[in-house]
Amino acid sequence: MFGKVSVRLLGISLLVVIAGCNKTDTGGAIDAGGSAATPTPAVIQGACPQVYLLDGTANYRTYAKGAKDDPTKIVYQASLADTTRQCVQNESQLVMTVVVQGRVIAGPAGGAGTVTLPIRVAATDGKNTLYSELTQYPVEVPTGVGTTQFIFTKTQITLPGGAGDFAKVYVGFDEGPAAGKKK
């Protein structure tokens, strides 16, 4: 009889464990009083706009003073390569985080030191600019190496709710004036 009871208890405990593993998390937290706090917005990728690197803005060069377009006078050359993104949707807006991988190489006129890269993140619906911000991003080129990789992350990119269905996000180097955030 003891064997039959232990087999039944084992079976029931396995069902409880499996049921616990299949529970769907609805987000949010329980506060100290035991009631549900504000729900945590869900991460959504299906409606997250694509991130694009344009050929004309994915590369950046700085030259020694007085030089332009002279390959022997390049101080630093930078490029952007891969991107990824994450979106969180709430009642009224889509909030994005964009991550871009890049590389900086010291040129013939350069060396170790810090280069400041003007990286712009912009979102458009084709006709209107939904978001645009220029970040002066410092990258340290180590001594004796002459090249380094970097990861640029831009958080809190806010777009109108539903913008993920029609918006495109562009990331690139921009030497133009710093435009303010648009919403």
Side-chain angles (χ1 to χ4, degrees):
M1 178 156 167
F2 179 71
K4 288 183 181 181
V5 172
S6 64
V7 169
R8 285 184 186 155
L9 287 175
L10 178 65
I12 291 172
S13 61
L14 284 175
L15 286 174
V16 170
V17 170
I18 291 170
C21 291
N22 288 332
K23 182 180 177 205
T24 302
D25 186 9
T26 57
I30 305 298
D31 64 14
S35 62
T38 307
T40 304
V43 174
I44 56 166
Q45 288 303 101
C48 200
Q50 289 287 329
V51 177
Y52 297 92
L53 298 173
L54 300 177
D55 288 338
T57 63
N59 296 300
Y60 176 74
R61 288 184 181 157
T62 58
Y63 293 91
K65 293 194 185 256
K68 178 130 175 117
D69 297 328
D70 181 355
T72 64
K73 303 288 184 178
I74 295 174
V75 179
Y76 295 104
Q77 181 171 305
S79 62
L80 301 175
D82 295 318
T83 66
T84 190
R85 81 266 191 237
Q86 176 179 314
C87 292
V88 175
Q89 179 80 49
N90 64 28
E91 306 82 34
S92 62
Q93 61 190 3
L94 182 74
V95 180
M96 289 185 71
T97 297
V98 173
V99 179
V100 182
Q101 183 267 328
R103 185 170 79 166
V104 176
I105 300 170
T114 302
V115 60
T116 302
L117 303 174
I119 301 176
R120 182 173 301 277
V121 177
T124 179
D125 66 2
K127 297 177 184 176
N128 301 309
T129 301
L130 304 172
Y131 177 92
S132 181
E133 186 170 359
L134 182 66
T135 301
Q136 298 297 329
Y137 188 73
V139 177
E140 185 70 29
V141 178
T143 304
V145 177
T147 184
T148 191
Q149 293 189 14
F150 65 91
I151 302 291
F152 171 77
T153 303
K154 187 67 176 169
T155 60
Q156 299 299 313
I157 300 167
T158 55
L159 304 176
D165 295 332
F166 56 86
K168 291 182 178 181
V169 176
Y170 299 96
V171 179
F173 296 111
D174 185 357
E175 296 179 73
K181 294 180 188 177
K182 292 188 176 183
K183 294 184 180 180

